[in-house]
């Protein structure tokens, strides 16, 4: 039982946790900045870039994928500007058009190209391949101390762990500038903070997390984790510090519960086959948000509980 | 901070801004010269094609309360924000105590308009005040007990100590304005720039704020407010700057805040009756 868990479930759960946390952390700030859909946008826009990178290099090396994704993101920004100026329509509509078109373009490219040799198809783009990221060489917990077995860990695990670590480090180091410029941009500029660079850095960090997570767990988890855990966390507390910790907790909870439910849930209800772990993780994060909406202690919005006569 | 040095420089017959002490490489800062706390030259800001502020010169005096006055859309807040670099300017130079503004940011405290932020932000009153300590704390250093005490003392000055742990969305408008002022006090600046500090606040808060501003003046600090209530200009301020896209007039309240200058600033928008109610002496400037 233990050996089976380490071999089949440990690495997917860990990858799910790292991916969820890496997306949830920048998600906190994106939501407070009214940019919550940027994560959604990024995960759609990068698909054609990743496919083109694959077609050019013939492999799924992460560096080429990152470059392809970055190129697609730049192209998306240019296209949005072009649609906005030439079509004279509002920015939200321009973004919506560009994101969906690019994602659709990526899907068409995928269909037309021969990617059957690797895990790169439409289903993978949406739901990743979490269940297949198993640790063949593991014989049990003791394998964690066995260099030969560790060398055979799926590549996604160290990569996602590294990205998660970088996101955590950036969040801790730039905590104060992020917090001040998110709350009060004018004041931040007045005290000399590089507000534009901070905003850009946040979006780039979110993009790196999204692309890395996209590769391992697909775009459904990325979209869900940017929004659900931070939004649920906001309803649990009125302090940003506590909110970020809650969001990490919720992200981990969703990853673990989602994976377990996907693997065993259908069996409990008499079903024969497991369901998509990525889909279940995203669904659990939505369920957590729903519960927080109903029972969270800090649900009062501005204007409620305020006494205007008090002065 | 050391006006004697400037006197020495003047006695030596040196041009302004060129100090013997500075030339000697002593640890005296050139900005210690009795330069204006805020001097603006040729500032132009444009939203689209129409200029919001056009080629404005302004010089605000030290140790005084100054008001920027003009009708809605005259560019009062725009002037302040562009001077601080919060919004881009087409042209113009800004110096603070004789130095370029980016070299003097540590000496500036800024109070934005209350409506410019989201008060639902998950943060406490004391947390907002301690944002004023950012330049001292830097990226990672934890707040020491004396810095916490300083932040609490700033809250005390605006009468908000009891609210230190409240979430900022649970405050009234006047209380929020006081928290913003406390944050500016925590910055420990020599020049205070406030954007409509009295807008939409209750009478008690208005009194509390003007008391704090007067105590800052008593400490020799310079205070510049974007202000819209003409009836309080004479009782609150020493110096006025009248603007309607272009500079109309500036100077001491007694000689500049006149019916003629107000007519020139507000045009037809201020009825003669309103000006009469202000009981201003003098005619055109």
């Amino acid at each position: 039982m233990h050996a089976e868990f380490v071999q089949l479930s440990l690495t997917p759960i860990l990858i799910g946790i790292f991916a969820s946390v890496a997306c949830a952390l920048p998600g906190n700030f994106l939501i407070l900045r009214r940019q919550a859909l940027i994560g959604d946008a990024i995960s759609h826009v990068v698909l054609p870039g990743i496919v083109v990178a694959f077609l050019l290099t013939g492999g799924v090396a992460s560096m080429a994928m990152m470059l392809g994704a970055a190129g697609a993101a730049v192209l998306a920004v240019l296209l949005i500007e072009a649609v906005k100026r030439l079509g004279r329509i509002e920015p939200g509509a321009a973004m919506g058009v560009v994101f969906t078109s690019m994602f659709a373009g990526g899907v068409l490219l995928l269909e037309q190209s021969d990617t059957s040799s690797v895990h790169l198809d439409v289903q993978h783009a949406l739901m990743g391949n979490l269940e297949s990221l198993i640790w063949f060489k593991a014989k049990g917990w003791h394998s964690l101390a066995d260099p030969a077995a560790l060398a055979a860990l799926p590549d996604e695990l160290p990569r996602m762990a590294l990205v998660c670590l970088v996101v955590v480090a950036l969040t801790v180091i730039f905590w104060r500038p992020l917090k001040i410029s998110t709350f009060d941009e004018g004041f931040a500029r007045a005290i000399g903070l590089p507000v534009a660079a901070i905003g850009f850095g946040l979006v780039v960090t979110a993009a790196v997390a999204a692309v890395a997570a996209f590769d391992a767990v697909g775009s459904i988890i990325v979209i869900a984790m940017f929004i659900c855990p931070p939004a649920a966390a906001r309803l649990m507390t009125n302090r940003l510090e506590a909110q970020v910790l809650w969001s990490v907790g919720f992200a981990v909870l969703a990853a673990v519960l989602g994976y377990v439910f996907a693997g065993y849930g259908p069996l409990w209800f008499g079903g024969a086959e497991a369901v998509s772990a990525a889909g279940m993780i995203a669904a659990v994060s939505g369920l957590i948000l729903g519960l927080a909406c109903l029972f969270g202690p800090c649900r009062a919005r501005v204007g409620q509980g305020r006494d205007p006569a008090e002065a | 901070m050391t006006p004697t040095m400037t006197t020495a420089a003047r006695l030596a017959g040196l041009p302004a801004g060129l100090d013997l002490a500075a030339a000697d490489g002593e640890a005296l800062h050139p900005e210690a010269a009795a330069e204006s706390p805020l001097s603006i030259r040729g500032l132009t800001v444009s939203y689209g094609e129409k200029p919001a502020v056009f080629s404005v010169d302004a010089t605000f005096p030290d140790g005084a309360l100054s008001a920027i006055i003009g009708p809605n859309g005259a560019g009062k807040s725009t002037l302040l924000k562009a001077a601080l670099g919060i919004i881009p300017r087409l042209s113009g130079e800004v110096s603070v105590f004789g130095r370029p503004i980016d070299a003097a940011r540590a000496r500036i405290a800024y109070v934005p308009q209350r409506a410019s932020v989201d008060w639902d932000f998950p943060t406490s009153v004391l947390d907002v005040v301690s944002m004023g300590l950012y330049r001292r704390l830097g990226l990672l250093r934890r707040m020491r007990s004396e810095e916490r005490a300083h932040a609490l003392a700033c809250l005390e000055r605006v009468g908000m100590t009891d609210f230190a742990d409240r979430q900022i969305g649970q405050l009234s408008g006047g209380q929020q304005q006081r928290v913003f002022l406390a944050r500016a006090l925590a910055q420990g600046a020599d020049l205070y720039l406030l954007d409509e500090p009295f807008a939409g606040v209750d009478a008690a808060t208005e009194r509390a704020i003007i008391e704090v501003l007067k105590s800052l003046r008593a400490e020799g600090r310079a205070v510049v407010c974007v202000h819209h209530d003409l009836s309080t200009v004479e009782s609150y301020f020493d110096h006025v700057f009248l603007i309607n896209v272009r500079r109309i007039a500036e100077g001491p309240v007694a000689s500049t805040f006149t019916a003629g200058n107000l007519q020139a600033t507000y045009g037809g928008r201020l009825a003669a009756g309103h000006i009469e109610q202000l009981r201003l002496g003098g005619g055109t400037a």
Side-chain angles (χ1 to χ4, degrees), chain A residues 32 34 183 234 237-238 243 298-303 306, chain B residues 117-123 167-170 176:
Chain A
L32 289 169
R34 308 271 185 271
F183 170 59
R234 176 67 189 88
T237 171
N238 276 327
Q243 177 190 321
C298 298
R299 285 168 294 136
R301 295 287 302 179
V302 157
R306 189 205 291 189
Chain B
V117 306
D118 173 15
W119 291 91
D120 193 34
F121 195 86
T123 192
Q167 199 259 327
I168 53 173
Q170 295 162 357
Q176 289 172 344

Side-chain angles (χ1 to χ4, degrees), chain B residues 189-230:
Chain B
D190 299 311
L191 167 65
Y192 288 77
L193 303 175
L194 299 88
D195 200 346
E196 301 261 15
F198 303 111
V201 304
D202 52 279
T205 295
E206 178 147 353
R207 277 195 302 276
I209 291 176
I210 195 63
E211 282 316 308
V212 170
L213 297 186
K214 283 179 174 169
S215 73
L216 287 172
R217 175 178 61 188
E219 294 164 14
R221 323 289 174 107
V223 179
V224 178
C225 295
V226 170
H227 192 61
H228 68 287
D229 181 3
L230 295 179

Side-chain angles (χ1 to χ4, degrees), chain A residues 32 34 176-177 179 182-184 186-187 189-193 234 238-240 243 301-302 306 310-311, chain B residues 86 105 110 112 117-118 120 122-124 127 134-135 137-139 141 165 167-168 171-172 183 187 202:
Chain A
L32 289 169
R34 308 271 185 271
R176 280 192 187 125
K179 182 174 167 181
T182 301
F183 170 59
D184 190 345
F187 178 79
R189 283 185 198 274
I191 62 174
L193 283 176
R234 176 67 189 88
N238 276 327
R239 297 286 177 279
L240 186 60
Q243 177 190 321
R301 295 287 302 179
V302 157
R306 189 205 291 189
E310 204 178 17
Chain B
I86 294 170
R105 290 202 182 267
Y110 172 55
V117 306
D118 173 15
D120 193 34
T123 192
S124 71
D127 223 24
Y134 173 75
R135 291 191 68 96
L137 291 169
L139 284 180
R141 192 165 71 70
D165 291 322
Q167 199 259 327
I168 53 173
L171 304 174
S172 72
R183 178 178 67 177
Q187 290 183 267
D202 52 279

Side-chain angles (χ1 to χ4, degrees), chain B residues 35-59:
Chain B
E35 297 273 3
S36 162
L38 178 62
S39 167
I40 296 166
R41 291 283 160 271
L43 186 85
T44 297
V45 182
S46 176
Y47 300 121
E49 283 171 19
K50 208 175 157 213
V53 168
F54 188 75
S55 192
V56 164
D57 292 344
T59 307

Side-chain angles (χ1 to χ4, degrees), chain A residues 33-286:
Chain A
R33 287 166 174 250
R34 308 271 185 271
Q35 298 178 323
L37 286 177
I38 281 209
D40 190 346
I42 292 166
S43 61
H44 280 86
V45 154
V46 296
L47 182 64
I50 288 176
V51 178
V52 168
F54 167 76
L55 292 176
L56 291 178
T57 62
V60 286
S62 49
M63 201 57 220
M65 291 244 172
M66 280 284 181
L67 287 176
V74 171
L75 180 67
V77 171
L78 294 177
L79 277 176
I80 290 167
E81 272 309 301
V83 172
K84 223 163 61 183
R85 299 237 171 119
L86 300 176
R88 289 173 181 276
I89 59 174
E90 56 123 351
M95 283 187 214
V97 167
V98 170
F99 294 156
T100 44
S101 309
M102 287 187 71
F103 188 71
V107 170
L108 287 177
L109 265 178
L110 262 182
E111 261 195 352
Q112 295 302 312
S113 55
D114 178 25
T115 54
S116 52
S117 58
V118 292
H119 283 289
L120 193 59
D121 50 44
V122 177
Q123 196 188 345
H124 172 228
L126 278 177
M127 300 187 287
N129 55 347
L130 202 48
E131 294 90 340
S132 69
L133 299 174
I134 52 180
W135 190 11
F136 282 119
K137 289 252 173 105
K139 304 271 188 297
W141 289 105
H142 59 86
S143 296
L144 285 171
D146 176 5
L150 285 175
L153 273 170
D155 288 345
E156 283 83 353
L157 181 58
R159 195 188 307 156
M160 203 61 244
L162 179 69
V163 168
C164 185
L165 191 71
V166 169
V167 171
V168 170
L170 288 173
T171 308
V172 170
I173 293 170
F174 294 106
W175 180 263
R176 280 192 187 125
L178 265 173
K179 182 174 167 181
I180 295 176
S181 62
T182 301
F183 170 59
D184 190 345
E185 193 184 314
F187 178 79
R189 283 185 198 274
I191 62 174
L193 283 176
V195 169
I198 294 166
F200 184 70
L202 175 63
V203 171
V204 168
T205 305
V208 169
V211 172
F214 175 90
D215 177 33
V217 298
S219 60
I220 287 180
I221 287 192
V222 173
I223 296 168
M225 287 303 157
F226 269 119
I227 298 178
C228 292
R234 176 67 189 88
L235 301 169
M236 303 303 293
T237 171
N238 276 327
R239 297 286 177 279
L240 186 60
E241 290 76 7
Q243 177 190 321
V244 167
L245 293 179
W246 273 105
S247 75
V248 170
F250 284 150
V252 172
L253 190 68
V256 174
L257 284 183
Y259 189 84
V260 171
F261 287 168
Y264 304 102
L267 303 178
W268 299 337
F269 295 102
E273 286 185 33
V275 297
S276 154
M280 187 57 88
I281 290 174
V284 169
S285 73

Side-chain angles (χ1 to χ4, degrees), chain A residues 28 69 277:
Chain A
N28 282 288

